[in-house]
């Protein structure tokens, strides 16, 4: 009986130790997630402050132009954060005072289900030319842990209005469509390998 009692005490002690270890691990993960959310929230707040400076016509133009560069770079970083995919298109646009246009679609490809979001930002005309100042970002993810984004239009004239993703012999391709201002109501098509992390692109 004594041996049985001792064995039970040891096993119970080990179980309690494992539960304690799991609790500590869960607590650590919770703190890490909380820290990430705070970091994401701060980055979002900074972006909104920068956007307000860019939109403020009473500010010095050199300051606004500098902030424009900061904004596009930081927005690209934000779109690489997993937390950014949790917002719906309308919520995302509202966060930025509807200065962004956001389109998200889901595509069933051969080997995976891929979510793709295109984000457009048009800078104030006073800072750029009347046909330029358009910035396009592409964000894609197959799960919350695998979020990627890149800027594919840096101050150019085209504004994307629609897109499709397709499988090809060269891999996954993103086809962007929109209107070019050089000739009134002229459509354009941009093909790029963004969903493969490549910067290769061509207009047709």
């Amino acid at each position: 009986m004594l041996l049985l009692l001792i064995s039970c005490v040891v096993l119970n002690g080990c179980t309690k130790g494992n539960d304690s270890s799991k609790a500590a691990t869960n607590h650590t993960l919770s703190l890490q997630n909380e820290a990430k959310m705070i970091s994401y929230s701060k980055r979002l707040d900074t972006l909104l402050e920068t956007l307000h400076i860019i939109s403020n016509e009473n500010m010095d133009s050199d300051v606004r132009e500098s902030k424009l560069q900061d904004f596009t770079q930081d927005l690209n970083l934000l779109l690489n954060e997993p937390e950014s995919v949790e917002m719906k298109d309308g919520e995302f646009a509202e966060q930025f005072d509807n200065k962004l246009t956001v389109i998200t679609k889901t595509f069933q490809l051969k080997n995976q289900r891929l979510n793709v979001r295109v984000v457009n930002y048009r800078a104030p005309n006073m800072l750029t030319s009347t046909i330029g100042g358009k910035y396009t970002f592409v964000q894609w993810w197959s799960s919350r842990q695998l979020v990627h984004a890149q800027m594919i239009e840096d101050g150019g004239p085209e504004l994307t209005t629609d897109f499709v993703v397709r499988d090809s012999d060269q891999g996954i391709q993103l086809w962007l469509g929109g209107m070019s201002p050089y000739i009134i109501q002229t459509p354009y098509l941009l093909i790029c390998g963004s969903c493969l992390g490549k910067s290769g692109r061509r207009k047709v």
Side-chain angles (χ1 to χ4, degrees):
M1 288 295 294
L2 181 60
L3 286 174
L4 179 61
L5 178 60
I6 291 173
S7 296
C8 288
V9 170
V10 171
L11 288 174
N12 286 339
C14 290
T15 302
K16 287 182 179 178
N18 288 337
D19 288 344
S20 177
S21 177
K22 288 179 181 178
T25 300
N26 291 336
H27 181 64
T28 300
L29 291 173
S30 177
L31 290 176
Q32 290 175 345
N33 290 334
E34 184 177 349
K36 286 181 180 179
M37 284 301 297
I38 293 173
S39 176
Y40 174 80
S41 180
K42 286 184 176 179
R43 179 170 284 173
L44 182 59
D45 289 342
T46 300
L47 269 171
L48 293 175
E49 291 174 5
T50 304
L51 182 61
H52 292 154
I53 293 173
I54 295 170
S55 303
N56 187 352
E57 297 181 358
N58 295 321
M59 293 287 293
D60 183 79
S61 60
D62 290 338
V63 173
R64 295 171 68 198
E65 287 177 6
S66 175
K67 290 296 182 181
L68 175 59
Q69 184 175 359
D70 292 342
F71 177 77
T72 55
Q73 291 175 351
D74 290 344
L75 179 57
N76 189 66
L77 292 174
L78 184 86
L79 291 172
N80 276 280
E81 296 286 348
E83 291 81 4
S84 65
V85 304
E86 295 179 357
M87 285 190 290
K88 295 181 179 179
D89 293 355
E91 296 171 332
F92 200 97
E94 287 178 9
Q95 282 281 346
F96 291 90
D97 299 332
N98 292 310
K99 296 290 197 309
L100 305 179
T101 57
V102 186
I103 310 169
T104 303
K105 294 183 180 182
T106 300
F107 299 90
Q108 183 61 55
L109 304 178
K110 294 177 181 177
N111 300 318
Q112 62 178 314
R113 188 176 178 87
L114 191 67
N115 304 291
V116 182
R117 170 178 283 169
V118 170
V119 178
N120 288 305
Y121 170 65
R122 182 172 183 174
N125 289 339
M126 296 296 291
L127 289 181
T128 62
S129 65
T130 55
I131 62 173
K134 300 179 182 69
Y135 300 83
T136 300
F137 305 82
V138 175
Q139 180 186 49
W140 66 98
W141 67 97
S142 54
S143 71
R144 191 179 182 277
Q145 289 73 34
L146 298 172
V147 179
H148 308 278
Q150 70 180 67
M151 181 165 58
I152 59 173
E153 189 68 46
D154 185 2
E158 288 91 9
L159 190 67
T160 299
T161 57
D162 202 2
F163 63 93
V164 295
V165 170
R166 61 184 292 270
D167 280 327
S168 69
D169 295 337
Q170 292 76 34
I172 301 172
Q173 287 186 331
L174 170 65
W175 293 51
L176 301 169
M179 304 300 293
S180 173
Y182 289 119
I183 303 176
I184 298 176
Q185 298 299 312
T186 298
Y188 80 94
L189 180 65
L190 176 65
I191 305 173
C192 63
S194 293
C195 293
L196 294 175
K198 297 179 181 178
S199 58
R201 49 186 269 178
R202 71 177 189 270
K203 294 180 182 179
V204 295

